[in-house]
Amino acid sequence: MKSYTGKVLWVDLTHGTWQEETLSDEIYKKYLGGIGLGAALLYRDMPPKADPLGPDNILGFMTGLLTGAGSFFTGRWMAVAKSPLTGTWGDSNCGGTLALAIKQSGYDGILFKGASDHPVYLYIDSKGPQLLDASPYWGKDAIETEDLLIETHKSKKKPAVAAIGRAGEKLSLISGIVNDRGRIAGRSGLGAVMGSKKLKAVVLAGSKRVRAHDPIKTKWLSLKCSRDVMLPLQLLPSRLVSMFGSIIGHLPMGMSQNGILVAGIMRKWGSVGTLPASVGMGDTPFKNWAGTKYDMPGFNQKVDTDFILKTEKRKYHCRECPLGCGGIVELEGKQAESHKLEYETSASFLTMLMSTDLELAYEMNDLLNREGMDTISAGGCVAFAMECYEKGWITREDTGGSELNWGSSEAIRILLTQMVVRQGFGALLTDGVKRAAEKLVPQAADSAIHAGGQEIAYHDPRLDPGMGLHASVDPTPGRHTTGAQLYYDLYKLWTRVPGLKPAALFYPKETKFEADEYRMKGAVAVSNFTQFYNGMGMCYFGMLIGVDRVPVFEWANSVTGWNLKPEEYMEIGRRIQTLRQMFNIREGIDPRKINVSKRLLGDPPQTAGPNKGVSFDLKKLKKGYWKEIGWDAETGIPTTETVAELDLTDLVKVGGVL
Amino acid sequence: MTHTIIEACTGCTACVKICPVAAISGERKHMHVINAAICIDCGACGRICPSASIINEEGELCQSLKKSMWLKPVVLQSKCVACGACIQVCPTSVLEFDETSGEHVIPTLFDEKNCIGCSFCEAACPTHAIEMSVPAMSKT
């Protein structure tokens, strides 16, 4: 018995046909599931230089090896494709109920190629797949679509649904794929790939069983884990979290943090609970990354995360998660039930735009979740427009009369409402800041904050240069989940993986910017671990608690029946990371040219705030990372030796095999 | 091997109606067949069959049971972590979160009539928070 199905489903939307592909155990041992398996299949089957919005692109809905087998933090599914936003390898990750539903349909992944000439959706129940007409749903938002499809297909088993909203239909390059009434795989613009294929939704109602190789051991590990991660912080007020952040931000030394605090904060507030501390320490950007917390004095008092708790009707757990960092909120008479703000969304719609209008942030969060647009990128676009307006590069004539002043609720509402349907002035921003800047004066490029075309998630590289490094070197640029120095501290990989040094509790701040052996080994370990746990279908919030409390390597063995050491799993992670990079190289991407905007490197340095005076050399860090992972230190191209060492030679040659 | 039907089958169609995945086919009063590719081994057919015609995945003859004697899940609040795995593995969607159960809402059996007693929820629960029992027995 094993926890994976050994099969993926290929759906050809051009011809309206499908077929199963059976995969050997060796393939799973080599690439795991999730993004790893997706990368291998897409590398093998996608023609090089495919148009991301054309029929040659392949869109995969992937699930991890641990999903459904009795472990925790395994409710994540992953969308994979070539990103139309960045032109690079694209992936995005989401929770809810879909991950298990994919596996219950009998597959470790469902991959779409070709494109339909009319709207369709895929329906899978116990009898197998069907492609059905989605014309009645085209033009509807993702939540309405989900509700209607569940009503249509609810028999004995309630289906799980992933759909695009109107942003995906309109091919917005910052659109995502929505499931569970407003959770969204938002990054990499993969909603547009779905829209380009005229695939409105995936509806999964399978009941196939998933079983661990060793269910008793797996449950024993889960029981122990559930006891180890439940830190009761119910009485902790948000102002104490804020004070904690301020103290860390102003300490003369750097201080590593502990994952058990993450678990407590997540359980009480969700990711938005980190906002006060992040603001305090200089992690959260203000005013399109040009400002500081001193531009919005008293922000943490005006935007009280405890207020969010007061509007929370109940906690929301993704499947197989004991934490429950999600929540369903309601503003009586103003905002119907919706998923609560995540940290990223709150930074995106509040600090980045110099707004304290929390009710508007709720409203816009719901709008974007419904229409399937990434809140991270969308807020970055509005911030860019506001800065351009301030500098006179966009005028009232351009906006149709709207004044795009910082903090203007009216401007935020108008822009986002236009963006999701590609209308009016907002249409300029529908494909992200890089493309918007190309249509304005040349100076606007410096205000368009991105890496490789993707807006950067809201953790300041001037505080944690690892955020800037990973957002630049990871094959999917601009992401915050791919790595950071903070994550090295929190993951505590040194407790399981030989050869890694423990993080010191205190360290001189300037050492963060060094490309020394400790930092570079740590950065590569974080990358490899990220690819490993993505292959397992695990949640990064869960991983932040630390592998000393979350037995991910032990689960991996008990669930699959393998007997691999943590360092062997880490090496599989390196293989996946390298394969994702090889995908980019084949696409003609030059890794040297993908960098976070210079503003985030302290060019020019900030004149106030916790990151005052900071600037650093990203190129040096990138070279250090490339050398450590086994890619050419000057070009970022994986070396022939590394490709051979990772047993990728057969795959990356023309007509390659897994 | 999945569940199979033997020649004692009278074609009463009780199994067809109870099967949550529509894996059983056959004409009334004729021997029925289970599609092994679809069957999920929930055992409902074996429990409902009045003519003892179902062999389970272990090769044993299933015993017919009155529906009132079927095992049903009871969620133990003290052990449940609200992960919802039980809700999702349920082939008849008879478990749902109880909105009144507190901040981290926990599942409950809200549709006892349609529960087929498969115990998938018990097997899936990572924290042993589900116990299967006969409602009639626990009430007495």
Side-chain angles (χ1 to χ4, degrees), chain A residues 354-512:
Chain A
M354 303 289 285
S355 167
T356 54
D357 191 343
L358 200 48
E359 290 187 2
L360 179 78
Y362 274 49
E363 183 190 332
M364 293 298 101
N365 182 45
D366 185 50
L367 171 76
L368 268 68
N369 288 346
R370 284 180 176 278
E371 300 295 6
M373 183 174 272
D374 176 23
T375 56
I376 297 175
S377 285
C381 290
V382 175
F384 165 75
M386 287 180 164
E387 182 172 326
C388 289
Y389 186 79
E390 185 182 45
K391 290 180 170 167
W393 302 330
I394 291 172
T395 64
R396 275 187 69 174
E397 287 71 54
D398 299 321
T399 64
S402 298
E403 296 199 49
L404 306 186
N405 296 321
W406 290 108
S408 162
S409 297
E410 189 193 346
I412 296 167
R413 183 183 284 110
I414 288 172
L415 284 183
L416 290 171
T417 307
Q418 291 178 343
M419 281 168 64
V420 293
V421 286
R422 202 186 277 281
Q423 282 179 354
F425 173 74
L428 175 78
L429 306 167
T430 299
D431 293 326
V433 292
K434 181 168 175 266
R435 285 169 177 81
E438 286 165 2
K439 293 170 187 156
L440 299 172
V441 294
Q443 306 93 293
D446 282 349
S447 302
I449 307 301
H450 65 91
Q454 177 146 250
E455 294 69 22
I456 293 151
Y458 302 117
H459 300 281
D460 203 321
R462 289 164 292 197
L463 176 73
D464 183 341
M467 289 284 182
L469 171 64
H470 288 275
S472 306
V473 291
D474 192 84
T476 309
R479 306 282 298 278
H480 65 296
T481 52
T482 51
Q485 290 183 5
L486 171 70
Y487 303 167
Y488 185 73
D489 298 353
L490 295 174
Y491 291 156
K492 289 195 168 56
L493 290 167
W494 60 84
T495 63
R496 292 289 183 279
V497 182
L500 294 176
K501 277 174 80 172
L505 182 57
F506 293 101
Y507 54 85
K509 275 187 176 173
E510 61 274 15
T511 61
K512 289 191 293 189

Side-chain angles (χ1 to χ4, degrees), chain A residues 97 104 126 157-158 317 319, chain B residues 17 21 88 93 104 125:
Chain A
T97 63
Q104 287 178 297
S126 57
K157 175 81 179 170
K158 182 185 172 190
H317 291 240
R319 287 290 187 257
Chain B
K17 288 172 193 153
V21 292
Q88 189 145 353
S93 296
H104 294 266
C125 177

Side-chain angles (χ1 to χ4, degrees), chain A residues 70 72 97 100-101 104 126-127 156-158 207-209 219 223 267 314-315 317-321 323, chain B residues 17-19 21 37 40 81-84 87-90 92-93 99 103-104 120 122-123 125-126 128:
Chain A
F72 282 135
T97 63
L100 185 47
Q104 287 178 297
S126 57
K127 291 184 174 168
K156 287 179 177 172
K157 175 81 179 170
K158 182 185 172 190
S207 289
K208 295 208 185 304
R209 295 189 76 178
K219 282 197 185 191
L223 258 176
R267 192 162 167 79
R314 59 187 176 278
K315 298 287 183 192
H317 291 240
C318 294
R319 287 290 187 257
E320 305 177 307
C321 176
L323 273 188
Chain B
K17 288 172 193 153
I18 197 84
C19 178
V21 292
I40 55 172
V81 294
C83 78
I87 291 176
Q88 189 145 353
V89 299
C90 176
T92 51
S93 296
E99 304 281 314
E103 191 182 31
H104 294 266
F120 284 10
E122 182 192 33
C125 177
H128 301 290

